[in-house]
Amino acid sequence: MKDEYDLSAMKSRKNPYASKLKKSVTMRLGEDVISYFKSMAEESGVPYQSLINLYLRDCVATHKKIDINWHA
């Protein structure tokens, strides 16, 4: 193995999977929801946006359905 490698001749290229990893979206969340996930983030050391993503991913994996009953 060489002590040093010359990487100046290498061509950079985009990650072909980058667009499939995550997509940026804008959502309006209640302050109570944000506070809840931020407090969990402080306890766990995981960023709150990652916790929200993990929770939603779990909903997808377990096929959770929301039960909404609108009362008049």
Side-chain angles (χ1 to χ4, degrees):
M1 179 160 24
K2 295 182 181 180
D3 289 338
E4 291 186 25
Y5 291 90
D6 182 15
L7 303 179
S8 64
M10 287 185 64
K11 294 181 183 178
S12 65
R13 61 182 180 155
K14 289 186 174 183
N15 181 347
Y17 303 105
S19 65
K20 297 177 184 192
L21 297 177
K22 289 189 179 180
K23 181 174 179 131
S24 179
V25 297
T26 301
M27 296 176 63
R28 296 190 179 277
L29 302 173
E31 284 290 327
D32 57 336
V33 172
I34 295 170
S35 295
Y36 175 77
F37 280 99
K38 281 187 175 182
S39 67
M40 281 184 23
E42 287 179 15
E43 292 172 13
S44 65
V46 176
Y48 79 98
Q49 292 173 325
S50 296
L51 290 176
I52 294 170
N53 188 54
L54 288 168
Y55 179 77
L56 294 174
R57 182 174 286 157
D58 180 62
C59 290
V60 171
T62 59
H63 302 284
K64 287 185 182 174
K65 302 283 184 192
I66 189 165
D67 182 19
I68 298 177
N69 293 315
W70 299 105
H71 296 290

